[in-house]
Amino acid sequence: MAATGEIQPAKHQEVGHKSLLQSDALYQYILETSVYPREPESMKELREVTAKHPWNLMTTSADEGQFLNLLLKLINAKNTMEIGVYTGYSLLSTALALPEDGKILALDINRENYEIGLPIIEKAGVAHKIDFREGPALPLLDQMIEDAKFHGSFDFIFVDADKDNYLNYHKRLIDLVKIGGVIGYDNTLWNGSLVAPADAPLRKYVRYYRDFVLELNKALAADPRVEICQLPVGDGITLCRRIS
Ligand code: SAM
Ligand code: CA
């Protein structure tokens, strides 16, 4: 316990770094010891610019950015997709991890927010890896499904957009990711609300998406085409490795 008068570290759930760890101090320790000292300058700059944006709650946390970056290197990802870009923090962590000829198909309905981060991504020298498409992801995935050349073509896909569509995405992405490739579904612990009592005072959007996340988690756990691992990083990420 801190002595009276001592400055307390920020409550991360209040500032948008959604940690499900029981102690803010422990999360702060992780950030200060292992994450911030190793965070590339460009990611730091994008994180700080995003923190001033009114929707900053949506950004990927620095520890999750570090996790994604390392994961992509571990699996030697080259051809990737991201659904849900916002200002581009996870996109930049992906772009920095990929080889020079790596690719990210980046989908978002909002180009304006992507353009907040774009100058920083350009300055980092990785913008050439990104193919940004503005618009809803689902119709584009349907187009790709029609074309055999996209089947089994992605090494990694990060899904961080409209939670009520995750199962619709999964139906398509399972064909687009290669066997042995990985899909990462973000926010699968949904603010801890999955285990909240029925009468808990949840924010409206948390309550709305909660049932979709519960349904997704059940469906992924029962899907024999993937091996899964749900990690309590950020707001929870479920990794699915396609096996058939
Ligand atoms: N990965 C991002 C990051 O690291 O900052 C955060 C993404 S944010 C949580 C969710 C994003 O999904 C928003 O930018 C929103 O515009 C986008 N989105 C919502 N519905 C979408 C849809 N149907 N298709 C594509 N993008 C969508
Ligand atoms: Ca997220």
Side-chain angles (χ1 to χ4, degrees):
M1 281 288 263
T4 316
E6 207 173 293
I7 296 170
Q8 294 286 325
K11 292 257 186 217
H12 291 283
Q13 288 181 344
E14 285 166 14
V15 296
H17 300 174
K18 286 171 272 175
S19 170
L20 296 168
L21 286 173
Q22 289 307 298
S23 148
D24 276 339
L26 189 57
Y27 182 51
Q28 191 69 23
Y29 170 82
I30 295 172
L31 292 176
E32 285 173 9
T33 310
S34 309
V35 180
Y36 293 153
R38 304 300 298 263
E39 188 182 32
E41 200 48 47
S42 54
M43 288 177 65
K44 180 171 188 277
E45 192 182 343
L46 182 50
R47 180 163 56 78
E48 288 172 353
V49 166
T50 303
K52 296 181 196 134
H53 190 262
W55 303 345
N56 61 20
L57 198 79
M58 296 207 299
T59 193
T60 297
S61 61
D63 53 321
E64 186 172 5
Q66 185 183 58
F67 169 71
L68 288 173
N69 182 277
L70 189 62
L71 174 68
L72 286 154
K73 290 171 183 163
L74 289 171
I75 66 171
N76 286 317
K78 193 167 168 183
N79 192 34
T80 72
M81 187 192 312
E82 174 167 303
I83 304 179
V85 170
Y86 183 42
T87 62
Y89 192 80
S90 55
L91 184 66
L92 179 55
S93 83
T94 303
L96 290 170
L98 298 186
E100 263 310 290
D101 59 347
K103 292 267 167 280
I104 313 165
L105 178 63
L107 314 179
D108 203 297
I109 46 174
N110 185 322
R111 178 183 286 276
E112 220 175 286
N113 290 333
Y114 168 61
E115 285 177 350
I116 296 173
L118 187 56
I120 299 169
I121 293 172
E122 282 168 346
K123 200 166 63 177
V126 291
H128 64 282
K129 300 177 190 174
I130 298 168
D131 175 7
F132 179 85
R133 310 277 185 92
E134 186 180 21
L138 212 52
L140 194 79
L141 296 182
D142 280 336
Q143 270 177 37
M144 291 170 79
I145 289 287
E146 294 293 304
D147 188 340
K149 81 166 185 273
F150 292 113
H151 284 227
S153 66
F154 289 90
D155 303 308
F156 180 77
I157 302 172
F158 183 55
V159 183
D160 190 15
D162 42 342
K163 317 305 172 208
D164 43 352
N165 260 321
Y166 273 25
L167 269 179
N168 291 325
Y169 293 145
H170 188 63
K171 283 185 191 131
R172 282 118 177 126
L173 297 180
I174 197 73
D175 288 329
L176 299 176
V177 73
K178 72 176 185 191
I179 292 180
V182 176
I183 310 171
Y185 290 102
D186 202 32
N187 302 90
T188 58
L189 292 175
W190 202 231
N191 251 262
S193 67
L194 306 184
V195 292
D199 58 350
L202 301 177
R203 272 171 284 174
K204 215 168 147 194
Y205 81 94
V206 172
R207 183 170 295 285
Y208 172 72
Y209 289 112
R210 181 176 175 267
D211 288 348
F212 292 98
V213 178
L214 285 166
E215 200 190 336
L216 172 82
N217 288 339
K218 253 198 253 170
L220 294 181
D223 187 341
R225 299 167 298 179
V226 290
E227 295 171 321
I228 67 165
C229 179
Q230 186 170 30
L231 295 169
V233 174
D235 192 28
I237 177 168
T238 302
L239 301 180
C240 305
R241 177 175 177 272
R242 183 178 170 196
I243 50 175
S244 67

